[in-house]
Amino acid sequence: MIDQLAFLISEGFKNFFRNKIISFLCILTIFINFSFLGSLFVIGYNTSSLVDFFRSKYSFEVFFVENVDEISYQKIIDDLENKNIISSINLIDKQESAKIFKQEFGEDVVEMLGYNPLPISLKVFLNENDFEFDVVDSLIKNIQSIDIVDEVEYRGKYIDSIEDRINLAIFIFIIFVVAIIFLSFQIISNTVRLSLASRKDFIQILKYNGASTLFIKIPFFIESLINAIIGSAFSYYFVKYLFILINSYFDLTIQIDNNLWIWIIGFSSIIGLYSSNNSMKRNLNE
Amino acid sequence: MVELENTSFNYNKDSGIFDINLNIKDGEFCFLVGPTGSGKSSLLKLIYFDLIPDDGNVKVLGFSSKKTKKKSIHKLRKKIGVIFQDYKLLNQRTVYENIALPLHINGLGRSKINPLVEEALELTDLLEYKNKYPSQLSGGEQQRVCIARAIVKNPDIILADEPTGNLDPTAAYKILKILEQINKEGTTVIMATHNYKLISEKEYRVIELNEGELISK
């Protein structure tokens, strides 16, 4: 049994080297398909960052008039904190504002002007789950009508429609990915089938010499696994370095999932084994 | 050992094997003769269950074509050595590797494989070619490799499908001598041929087929 298994494993590796052209074709097919798929998945993975970016718009800022007293703005803070739609509030005092200004513009506003003209403000975070644009809109109008409030800045006016479009884009993207997966499966499957068809005689010889179906299949499975692992490993490194290059060239921060290599190699192995098994069934008339 | 009961296999209306009854005993040497297309190869295929009869039954070494499942056919084939007219050798493997293949299939380890392959090489006079590839050999030598591969696993039956068909008379005679020697050791040999000159010199049983029907047995 051990001798037989050792023979079958070594046959799988030998077949890989014996059929160099076919092995190369299989690896190339897997590489092209999984480079494409891998890139799509990196893009998909990063759309969540895009959604987070838009989600950050679930907030507005309240700027108070000059010389506002603490009791007055504290009362507004207390009122807002009691509302379900508000998740949290950050108070930005004059010193904090000056710090932010320096971070953003690189200048110390107090040194520049001799005094701090920046107002005290509030950064109000909205509860995403209870978000309703009409409620937020009416709340903002109420706040704007308060005497000590100079201005309310809210950039999330179009958040509803933006999110709708993002969701639609994600839906289309998923359909596209499923279609590409299906296409990849077909292409890889056909390449494997082609490689097996070219060795129909070899399968026949094994059959006539008393080889069981499993005995015939195992070396082909091993060969398929080798092809899948090599092809997908190349595609993983291609995708990884492609996005590193894109990040550095366009100064982007596209993230690559740490587990990308697992699913690329795992998925290609599954497709390779499944295709081999299917093609073998036809050749063995199972 | 080999028994065909009212066996028929139809490729189409006019060609195939029709209602054959045949019995071949243990240790027999018999020729299967008939013109091209008479059904010799089909009959051999029925014996190693490459074809399953449409009607009747084929019993070989305790396996019945009616009862044996597809996934169990390999068990029968382990006991049969098949020699093909077109050799069916693996061109990317050496003579030694080709001959060792059935032993690997049977699950033998390298230590057991080596002496058995050497023995088969010796019997077929191929020792000096063991590291060569089939493409480096003549037709007669390739056929001997095919015979060595068939006998190495010490089968109960040897089925030879026109083994001398592509060979010159000297090489053909050499092949027949090897098969006779194997038969002397107790293996049943069924050899399909249309080389009537070769048959006429021997006194073995002759089974004659014509257009899929048994003429004499």
Side-chain angles (χ1 to χ4, degrees):
Chain A
M1 185 69 186
I2 293 168
D3 285 321
Q4 211 170 20
L5 197 66
F7 172 75
L8 291 174
I9 293 169
S10 75
E11 276 300 294
F13 279 91
K14 279 180 193 168
N15 282 349
F16 172 78
F17 290 106
R18 279 187 189 122
N19 305 289
K20 290 183 194 80
I21 295 172
I22 286 167
S23 300
F24 174 74
L25 274 177
C26 283
I27 290 170
L28 188 70
T29 310
I30 291 166
F31 168 72
I32 292 169
N33 279 281
F34 277 87
S35 296
F36 197 54
L37 264 176
S39 303
L40 283 178
F41 274 85
V42 170
I43 293 165
Y45 182 71
N46 282 275
T47 50
S48 62
S49 311
L50 189 69
V51 172
D52 287 345
F53 170 75
F54 283 107
R55 285 271 153 85
S56 71
K57 300 297 171 200
Y58 283 108
S59 66
F60 61 86
E61 284 174 280
V62 179
F63 296 94
F64 294 108
V65 293
E66 191 66 34
N67 303 322
V68 65
D69 63 273
E70 193 179 340
I71 301 164
S72 307
Y73 66 69
Q74 193 55 52
K75 189 178 176 295
I76 293 175
I77 291 170
D78 293 341
D79 283 350
L80 289 174
E81 274 177 343
N82 287 329
K83 293 187 190 298
N84 285 337
I85 199 169
I86 310 285
S87 69
S88 63
I89 297 168
N90 278 0
L91 174 70
I92 302 163
D93 59 18
K94 284 175 109 38
Q95 286 80 12
E96 190 63 29
S97 297
K99 248 190 225 172
I100 294 168
F101 186 91
K102 195 175 180 185
Q103 273 169 8
E104 288 187 6
F105 301 102
E107 299 283 351
D108 190 326
V109 70
V110 181
E111 267 181 25
M112 207 161 65
L113 300 174
Y115 71 101
N116 186 352
L118 300 169
I120 295 169
S121 65
L122 299 177
K123 177 118 183 167
V124 182
F125 294 94
L126 298 163
N127 201 333
E128 290 170 24
N129 297 329
D130 294 330
F131 182 86
E132 272 179 61
F133 181 72
D134 291 343
V135 178
V136 177
D137 194 43
S138 124
L139 177 70
I140 286 169
K141 277 178 186 156
N142 283 341
I143 297 169
Q144 269 173 334
S145 65
I146 301 169
D147 288 347
I148 60 165
V149 172
D150 182 35
E151 194 186 349
V152 179
E153 209 167 85
Y154 176 52
R155 296 195 195 96
K157 280 178 191 170
Y158 306 107
I159 201 156
D160 267 358
S161 62
I162 288 170
E163 281 229 340
D164 283 349
R165 278 174 200 187
I166 288 174
N167 287 336
L168 181 69
I170 289 172
F171 178 70
I172 292 168
F173 178 78
I174 288 168
I175 291 173
F176 188 60
V177 167
V178 170
I180 295 291
I181 288 172
F182 180 73
L183 200 70
S184 302
F185 177 78
Q186 291 298 322
I187 293 169
I188 293 167
S189 195
N190 282 335
T191 314
V192 173
R193 198 175 302 158
L194 201 72
S195 87
L196 288 177
S198 71
R199 278 175 285 167
K200 211 176 168 183
D201 288 345
F202 172 63
I203 293 171
Q204 261 195 338
I205 291 167
L206 287 174
K207 259 170 74 175
Y208 293 148
N209 280 287
S212 65
T213 307
L214 191 66
F215 187 96
I216 297 169
K217 281 181 178 180
I218 288 174
F220 284 100
F221 284 154
I222 292 168
E223 199 184 333
S224 287
L225 269 180
I226 298 170
N227 289 337
I229 290 169
I230 295 176
S232 54
F234 275 125
S235 64
Y236 167 69
Y237 283 106
F238 174 77
V239 170
K240 186 179 170 184
Y241 288 105
L242 175 74
F243 281 99
I244 288 173
L245 199 72
I246 289 173
N247 275 346
S248 72
Y249 194 77
F250 295 104
D251 199 21
L252 297 171
T253 53
I254 296 170
Q255 302 284 318
I256 297 166
D257 185 357
N258 288 333
N259 295 322
L260 183 69
W261 69 274
I262 295 176
W263 78 253
I264 284 188
I265 292 174
F267 192 46
S268 68
S269 300
I270 290 167
I271 290 185
L273 288 176
Y274 187 75
S275 309
S276 295
N277 195 40
N278 271 1
S279 312
M280 214 99 69
K281 272 184 177 173
R282 290 180 195 196
N283 277 308
L284 294 170
N285 295 323
E286 274 183 19
Chain B
M1 165 133 321
V2 178
E3 198 181 341
L4 283 85
E5 301 169 339
N6 306 105
T7 304
S8 294
F9 179 85
N10 306 301
Y11 289 106
N12 54 49
K13 268 187 185 176
D14 302 321
S15 71
I17 291 283
F18 306 107
D19 197 27
I20 288 192
N21 285 290
L22 186 68
N23 209 318
I24 298 168
K25 289 178 190 152
D26 265 1
E28 252 193 282
F29 190 115
C30 53
F31 290 115
L32 194 58
V33 298
T36 305
S38 60
K40 301 186 295 292
S41 296
S42 300
L43 189 66
L44 292 179
K45 283 181 178 178
L46 284 164
I47 295 173
Y48 64 89
F49 287 14
D50 196 32
L51 296 177
I52 302 297
D54 298 323
D55 289 307
N57 192 17
V58 180
K59 290 180 189 167
V60 185
L61 299 168
F63 290 83
S64 158
S65 63
K66 271 187 177 169
K67 293 176 187 167
T68 307
K69 288 178 183 168
K70 252 187 177 181
K71 61 178 181 183
S72 300
I73 289 174
H74 72 277
K75 290 176 188 165
L76 166 69
R77 289 188 183 150
K78 278 184 179 167
K79 297 178 179 182
I80 298 176
V82 189
I83 299 162
F84 302 94
Q85 184 179 6
D86 59 353
Y87 324 129
K88 293 203 189 302
L89 297 175
L90 300 168
N91 289 318
Q92 289 173 307
R93 287 158 210 249
T94 63
V95 166
Y96 183 97
E97 287 169 332
N98 267 285
I99 298 170
L101 187 69
L103 301 175
H104 285 296
I105 292 171
N106 286 356
L108 268 65
R110 288 193 187 279
S111 58
K112 286 179 184 169
I113 288 173
N114 199 41
L116 289 170
V117 174
E118 293 285 333
E119 198 184 320
L121 284 165
E122 208 172 323
L123 186 70
T124 49
D125 201 15
L126 285 167
L127 269 172
E128 59 184 301
Y129 304 110
K130 72 174 184 180
N131 294 320
K132 292 203 168 180
Y133 287 89
S135 56
Q136 296 171 298
L137 306 179
S138 69
E141 287 158 353
Q142 288 190 53
Q143 191 55 283
R144 271 151 47 208
V145 177
C146 186
I147 293 174
R149 187 182 62 191
I151 63 171
V152 73
K153 58 184 175 182
N154 196 20
D156 294 322
I157 305 173
I158 290 278
L159 302 175
D161 192 1
E162 305 264 10
T164 59
N166 295 332
L167 308 179
D168 61 72
T170 317
Y173 187 70
K174 205 170 181 178
I175 297 294
L176 185 62
K177 266 195 99 176
I178 295 168
L179 291 175
E180 282 181 308
Q181 200 176 332
I182 297 160
N183 176 248
K184 273 179 193 160
E185 287 165 21
T187 306
T188 308
V189 176
I190 304 169
M191 177 175 158
T193 183
H194 55 243
N195 189 338
Y196 290 94
K197 192 172 178 289
L198 206 70
I199 303 161
S200 62
E201 293 166 8
K202 304 287 173 185
E203 291 182 351
Y204 297 121
R205 180 181 172 190
V206 177
I207 300 161
E208 196 174 356
L209 285 167
N210 192 29
E211 292 182 349
E213 287 176 359
L214 209 57
I215 305 296
S216 71
K217 53 180 179 177

